Amino acid sequence: MMMKKTLLATALVGMFASQAAVAADDSAELRKIIEQQQKVLQDLEKRLDETEMRVEKTADVVEASASESKSATTIGGYGELHYNNITDNKSGKDKKAIDFHRFVLFFGHEFTENTRFFSELEIEHALSGDDKPGEVELEQAYIEHDFNEMFTGKAGLFLVPVGIINETHEPPTFYGVERNPVEKNILPATWWEAGAALNVKAAPGLAFDGAITSGLKVDDTYNIRGGRQKVAKADASDLAYTARVKYTGVTGLELAATAQYQSDLTQSKAGVDTASATLLTAHAIYSIKGFTVKALYAQWDIDGKEAEALGRDEQNGWYIEPSYRINESFGVFARYNEYNNNAGNSEDTKVEQTNVGINYWLHENVVFKADYEKVGGAKDADGFNLGVGYQF
């Protein structure tokens, strides 16, 4: 509008100057000049109106594009390649293997500022199918909605809110080539179920999670990790109920505890004793000036005669991991793990594992890893692991 007024003023000045220049001419010539100047003004005003309309339309398009960008579809992912060279000292056999352990793609879409979709599709061990070592798995696929600033709900297939790595396990986010054995064999990560969950932000730094989901289904060995149904036509005769509290109100500190109850781990399987189960786990993470220490404890209490006879009515484990981020590129760590899937019978079945190693971040989302591994207790093995991982 300011541009329009300026141009009109300039045109008026020009018109008056022209009128002054022909003041001595006869009135007919003067009227002719005035009519020409009026026509010029009308054409100029029309062009200015058209320009303003184009500017307004452009602004509307930009605004619409900005609005649409808030509901964008996103693609991401992560992956990791491992080389393992471990010697079983009891048998004398070497295990040397190279494996593209995981290739994962994320697909997400934000419908509105409050409603979004998230999914995770994974290929394990590169190949799947008959006589192939790998699997194709849908690990997440859920709708999440913010009811308000305090309550967020989700429904679909999602990761169980438990432990440290179950919800955050991209390679650049943790030390060591392999994930720690406690969260693998006791919890058991990566662990996802289908159902509904609610997150409550009760206060700054304090949050509660609750979920009702499908549960584990163990066979007569009561192997916890083997009981993951992965939501593949999962038996839902007995659901699982999970609750977590997490505190992050102090800079660099995270404290969390989770409890889960399932009335029958066997899903009422014929010929297998009914076995209710309770999982309790807690962890702490503290970081200050490049130094971080992580600690986790987890235990299962299974109420069943068959589980008790196997010594698997109690299964537990813990680990502690100090690490130091030297700079943006290098970090070193040590981790001591101890776990027992037959703790109800004897301490002789306890497994102890120590890992020490280094991470090199080529980029904050690209990492190379190396660690030495020593396994003792019920097992006797040692060796080293190499790996590379990424996320985007």
Side-chain angles (χ1 to χ4, degrees):
M1 183 61 72
M2 182 63 69
M3 179 179 67
K4 180 177 177 180
K5 290 181 177 179
T6 302
L7 290 174
L8 287 174
T10 303
L12 287 172
V13 171
M15 181 185 73
F16 291 139
S18 298
Q19 289 174 345
V22 297
D25 295 340
D26 55 55
S27 60
E29 186 67 21
L30 181 62
R31 283 196 298 273
K32 183 178 179 180
I33 293 173
I34 291 174
E35 289 174 356
Q36 290 175 345
Q37 294 292 344
Q38 287 177 337
K39 184 178 180 181
V40 170
L41 287 174
Q42 289 173 355
D43 290 342
L44 180 60
E45 186 173 5
K46 182 179 179 181
R47 290 177 184 178
L48 288 174
D49 288 338
E50 291 175 351
T51 300
E52 283 189 353
M53 289 178 65
R54 285 196 296 268
V55 170
E56 290 176 358
K57 287 181 179 180
T58 302
D60 290 341
V61 171
V62 171
E63 185 177 354
S65 298
S67 178
E68 289 175 2
S69 67
K70 296 178 182 179
S71 300
T73 298
T74 56
I75 298 175
Y78 72 89
E80 51 190 333
L81 174 70
H82 298 169
Y83 172 72
N84 309 109
N85 189 328
I86 306 295
T87 300
D88 186 330
N89 295 317
K90 289 185 176 180
S91 67
K93 294 182 179 180
D94 293 335
K95 177 186 176 182
K96 298 180 180 179
I98 187 165
D99 178 33
F100 204 101
H101 202 140
R102 298 176 179 90
F103 176 81
V104 182
L105 289 177
F106 302 142
F107 297 94
H109 185 77
E110 193 170 358
F111 300 102
T112 68
E113 291 184 354
N114 297 325
T115 304
R116 63 199 69 90
F117 167 77
F118 186 81
S119 66
E120 179 178 339
L121 184 65
E122 177 173 334
I123 300 174
E124 287 202 345
H125 311 298
L127 290 175
S128 65
D130 294 340
D131 300 321
K132 304 299 181 183
E135 296 178 297
V136 177
E137 301 172 330
L138 183 64
E139 290 195 359
Q140 299 189 74
Y142 63 86
I143 296 294
E144 185 176 69
H145 179 73
D146 300 326
F147 296 102
N148 50 44
E149 293 184 355
M150 185 175 182
F151 296 99
T152 297
K154 67 173 66 172
L157 188 156
F158 52 85
L159 297 168
V160 178
V162 61
I164 296 175
I165 68 169
N166 200 53
E167 293 178 293
T168 305
H169 46 250
E170 292 76 18
T173 66
F174 66 91
Y175 283 95
V177 175
E178 302 289 349
R179 298 171 183 176
N180 73 82
V182 176
E183 293 192 75
K184 176 181 176 180
N185 293 293
I186 301 298
L187 287 185
T190 305
W191 181 13
W192 64 91
E193 300 288 355
L198 181 67
N199 173 264
V200 181
K201 300 175 183 64
L206 180 63
F208 296 91
D209 293 278
I212 302 175
T213 64
S214 54
L216 301 174
K217 183 179 182 178
V218 300
D219 57 19
D220 55 7
T221 67
Y222 288 86
N223 182 324
I224 292 296
R225 186 167 183 81
R228 296 177 304 164
Q229 300 190 76
K230 301 186 178 182
V231 198
K233 294 186 177 180
D235 191 334
S237 301
D238 291 274
L239 300 178
Y241 304 88
T242 307
R244 178 178 68 181
V245 57
K246 179 184 284 189
Y247 177 72
T248 55
V250 176
T251 301
L253 177 66
E254 175 180 304
L255 300 173
T258 298
Q260 186 188 94
Y261 176 77
Q262 187 174 329
S263 61
D264 186 7
L265 276 182
T266 72
Q267 297 286 351
S268 304
K269 183 178 179 179
V272 182
D273 188 30
T274 298
S276 63
T278 301
L279 167 67
L280 298 174
T281 180
H283 73 258
I285 304 173
Y286 183 63
S287 300
I288 182 171
K289 295 182 179 180
F291 177 79
T292 298
V293 61
K294 298 179 180 180
L296 177 141
Y297 176 80
Q299 70 172 40
W300 283 94
D301 289 316
I302 302 173
D303 184 16
K305 294 181 179 179
E306 292 179 349
E308 183 178 0
L310 293 169
R312 293 199 162 182
D313 55 325
E314 295 180 19
Q315 303 185 39
N316 55 52
W318 64 275
Y319 74 87
I320 184 167
E321 179 191 286
S323 63
Y324 182 67
R325 187 73 177 260
I326 301 169
N327 52 39
E328 291 184 357
S329 298
F330 289 96
V332 293
F333 84 102
R335 182 174 61 237
Y336 177 76
N337 314 266
E338 190 174 293
Y339 66 97
N340 193 343
N341 288 107
N342 297 78
N345 261 357
S346 171
E347 284 293 303
D348 294 339
T349 54
K350 177 177 64 179
V351 179
E352 301 170 353
Q353 180 174 317
T354 301
N355 294 77
V356 294
I358 186 169
N359 278 17
Y360 168 65
W361 285 271
L362 182 65
H363 177 274
E364 63 179 347
N365 292 320
V366 179
V367 65
F368 290 84
K369 304 181 180 184
D371 66 73
Y372 169 76
E373 180 177 308
K374 172 65 177 177
V375 183
K379 298 181 180 180
D380 184 7
D382 66 334
F384 66 93
N385 306 291
L386 302 174
V388 58
Y390 63 87
Q391 66 176 356
F392 62 91

